[in-house]
Amino acid sequence: LAKTTQPISMDSYEGQEVNITCSHNNIATNDYITWYQQFPSQGPRFIIQGYKTKVTNEVASLFIPADRKSSTLSLPRVSLSDTAVYYCLVRGAGSYQLTFGKGTKLSVIP
Amino acid sequence: AAGVIQSPRHLIKEKRETATLKCYPIPRHDTVYWYQQGPGQDPQFLISFYEKMQSDKGSIPDRFSAQQFSDYHSELNMSSLELGDSALYFCASAQGLRGSPLHFGNGTRLTVT
């Protein structure tokens, strides 16, 4: 299982773009990169998933460089409700196990 | 859209008692995962099932067991409860493999006194 490393915490002001970078140096060829958001006492919520280059949905963008050893979750114009813990996970296409590492606690300041 | 349903939402048990947590996956999802999240900790993978068969096993204590039934719902059985078992227990479901994202329920908060 590829290990991930991401900042423990980040602060941002409302309305700013937030970029959270995750390092996964030993990612395997068939591994996907997935990001989840978790609010206190709630289950993690799927945000976005990608394999290479760039993926965008209605809430975020995911940038993955060619070597795939890192990825960056981009949240445009954050609001107070985006205050949460964000987890970067790496998972093989045929793997049943999804392992959470240490997430990034994002605090959005008014 | 239908989500993962977990019951009960809260459960209080005494040491050495048993507990059963239930999980109802999203319709047509055939894979179920169980996670444990202690206070201030990250979710820890316990066990998973695919098509009613155990597919992977994580840090699940021997005192715990789980199964997935013919209707795809799953139950986590916990015996000889210890104070350290107090945690949020999440169930997640997914459709098959191939990297499909997991959808989590809102968990069962187990308190062991």
Side-chain angles (χ1 to χ4, degrees):
Chain A
L1 295 171
K3 181 178 177 177
T4 59
T5 303
Q6 46 184 125
I8 295 296
S9 64
M10 292 181 70
D11 293 335
S12 176
Y13 288 101
E14 271 192 296
Q16 288 189 328
E17 177 185 76
V18 170
N19 296 308
I20 306 175
T21 296
C22 177
S23 170
H24 28 79
N25 289 317
N26 60 339
I27 189 170
T29 303
N30 63 347
D31 284 346
Y32 288 82
I33 300 154
T34 310
W35 285 80
Y36 284 81
Q37 174 194 56
Q38 187 178 28
F39 298 112
S41 298
Q42 293 188 25
R45 184 176 75 99
F46 171 78
I47 302 174
I48 198 166
Q49 177 170 287
Y51 182 78
K52 62 180 179 180
T53 63
K54 177 184 174 182
V55 180
T56 297
N57 61 22
E58 62 276 8
V59 298
S61 295
L62 179 59
F63 299 91
I64 306 169
D67 66 6
R68 304 198 331 120
K69 293 184 183 299
S70 67
S71 59
T72 299
L73 173 73
S74 181
L75 304 172
R77 298 179 299 281
V78 294
S79 64
L80 296 177
S81 62
D82 293 317
T83 293
V85 178
Y86 292 81
Y87 291 97
C88 162
L89 299 96
V90 171
R91 178 189 180 204
S95 171
Y96 294 101
Q97 187 170 147
L98 194 63
T99 300
F100 285 80
K102 298 293 181 186
T104 298
K105 185 174 183 179
L106 173 66
S107 298
V108 179
I109 306 164
Chain B
V4 175
I5 306 297
Q6 291 189 246
S7 68
R9 287 301 307 275
H10 302 273
L11 190 59
I12 300 174
K13 292 285 185 179
E14 294 187 355
K15 280 171 50 177
R16 292 180 287 278
E17 285 192 319
T18 61
T20 297
L21 280 54
K22 297 186 178 182
C23 169
Y24 298 87
I26 292 172
R28 291 182 295 282
H29 280 195
D30 49 17
T31 310
V32 167
Y33 303 74
W34 285 96
Y35 286 83
Q36 177 192 60
Q37 187 170 29
Q41 297 181 3
D42 306 300
Q44 296 295 311
F45 172 73
L46 294 178
I47 196 167
S48 62
F49 294 87
Y50 170 63
E51 282 291 345
K52 294 154 277 185
M53 299 288 290
Q54 181 182 308
S55 53
D56 208 346
K57 196 171 181 180
S59 52
I60 184 170
D62 291 340
R63 300 177 287 108
F64 294 5
S65 65
Q67 58 180 322
Q68 186 179 29
F69 294 86
S70 57
D71 63 353
Y72 293 99
H73 94 273
S74 178
E75 294 182 5
L76 177 66
N77 298 294
M78 310 158 72
S79 62
S80 302
L81 287 170
E82 303 173 356
L83 296 178
D85 296 328
S86 295
L88 264 171
Y89 290 83
F90 293 109
C91 170
S93 73
Q95 191 168 32
L97 296 175
R98 304 215 177 271
S100 57
L102 275 61
H103 297 267
F104 285 79
N106 277 327
T108 293
R109 182 176 294 281
L110 172 67
T111 302
V112 181
T113 62

